[in-house]
Amino acid sequence: MANIVVTGASRGLGFEFVRQLAKFSKTPNVFALCRNPQSAEKLQKLSSENSNIKIVKADMTDFESYKNVVSSIQGNINNGGINLLINNAGIMLKDTVNSVKYKSIIDSFEINAVAPLLFTKALLPLLKKADENAFPTNVGKSSVLNISAHLGSIEENTAGGYASYRLSKAAVNMATKCLAMELKPANIFVMALHPGWVKTDMGGEAAPLTAEASVNGMLTVLAKCEESHRGGLFTNKGKRIPW
């Protein structure tokens, strides 16, 4: 039976991940982490309709609180482990070289790059305890999926802009590679995915892709991934994105 953790679950892609994963018949617990559960009305409604969704209060930039978040999760799974962690929480600031500020860079790094690395570290004991047959992937007894972006690709940057966002996503790509290599001996699989330009609060109404289609694509890629995907960055259709 698979236990799953999703960060940034109150809206957008995080909410859609929770919605789709809760339908998976072998999922006793989908832990939906968000900063303000009381104001997450859509998530609260979804949880009331699906008994396997557990909402957990978690501010991903409050690194000292990770221990309590993990303890809360552990208290709901007895001696079980976590089969899938989706590090989804993030921000996107549309700054340029001329407008970027120190705080925007630091804020972007904290949530987009530091949090996925340190929260994976905090959850590592539970990732190591995962049931190898509980979640349908071809590699690893447990998996970590970092939501990144093609804007973090240095090679594909032909226009500039989104300075703090690009910097932080390039950093999470490196964090993904580091985690993938260091956790391989523990049979934990790590990769990064670009969700596409999605119609969410972050992506805007002009985006051509729905959250449902994006998440469905990413979960399909994850289910079909092979050893060659370890530590890499891919689109929601499975195409590798260069660094």
Side-chain angles (χ1 to χ4, degrees):
M1 302 293 278
N3 293 302
I4 297 168
V5 176
V6 181
T7 72
S10 64
R11 61 182 182 171
L13 292 174
F15 176 85
E16 185 61 26
F17 270 119
V18 171
R19 190 186 73 81
Q20 292 192 27
L21 289 166
K23 296 179 180 180
F24 183 52
S25 61
K26 293 184 178 180
T27 308
N29 294 296
V30 179
F31 295 98
L33 277 55
C34 65
R35 186 169 50 190
N36 297 306
Q38 298 306 317
S39 62
E41 295 180 3
K42 281 181 58 180
L43 184 60
Q44 292 284 359
K45 184 176 185 297
L46 185 66
S47 178
S48 69
E49 297 167 349
N50 297 270
S51 61
N52 59 344
I53 296 176
K54 310 289 194 306
I55 301 176
V56 178
K57 180 178 174 59
D59 180 348
M60 303 315 298
T61 60
D62 183 1
F63 306 114
E64 298 300 320
S65 71
Y66 284 4
K67 182 178 180 180
N68 293 333
V69 174
V70 173
S71 294
S72 178
I73 293 170
Q74 189 168 23
N76 282 278
I77 57 177
N78 298 318
N79 293 320
I82 295 300
N83 301 88
L84 175 61
L85 164 62
I86 301 177
N87 287 310
N88 164 76
I91 59 172
M92 181 175 70
L93 303 177
K94 300 179 181 181
D95 46 20
T96 66
V97 170
N98 287 324
S99 67
V100 68
K101 299 187 182 335
Y102 168 83
K103 190 174 188 310
S104 68
I105 296 173
I106 298 304
D107 288 349
S108 296
F109 260 79
E110 281 193 338
I111 188 64
N112 292 346
V114 179
L117 178 61
L118 293 187
F119 190 62
T120 301
K121 175 187 174 184
L123 206 62
L124 197 52
L126 296 183
L127 289 165
K128 289 180 176 179
K129 291 179 67 175
D131 177 359
E132 191 163 359
N133 300 312
F135 196 78
T137 57
N138 298 319
V139 285
K141 66 177 181 179
S142 58
S143 300
V144 177
L145 175 58
N146 290 331
I147 303 304
S148 185
H150 75 93
L151 289 176
S153 168
I154 296 171
E155 186 172 331
E156 289 197 348
N157 184 357
T158 59
Y162 298 89
S164 57
Y165 186 71
R166 286 185 186 274
L167 289 169
S168 63
K169 288 302 185 179
V172 79
N173 291 343
M174 178 57 83
T176 299
K177 186 72 171 184
C178 289
L179 287 166
M181 297 300 100
E182 292 193 33
L183 300 186
K184 182 177 180 179
N187 201 20
I188 298 172
F189 175 76
V190 186
M191 72 179 297
L193 279 172
H194 165 53
W197 184 14
V198 187
K199 196 184 299 291
T200 62
D201 290 347
M202 182 183 290
E205 286 299 313
L209 194 62
T210 65
E212 181 178 4
S214 172
V215 167
N216 182 265
M218 287 189 285
L219 291 178
T220 298
V221 172
L222 179 63
K224 295 180 178 180
C225 62
E226 299 175 347
E227 183 59 33
S228 60
H229 290 76
R230 187 184 299 272
L233 170 63
F234 295 81
T235 70
N236 62 13
K237 295 184 182 299
K239 179 182 177 182
R240 181 181 288 273
I241 297 174
W243 297 128

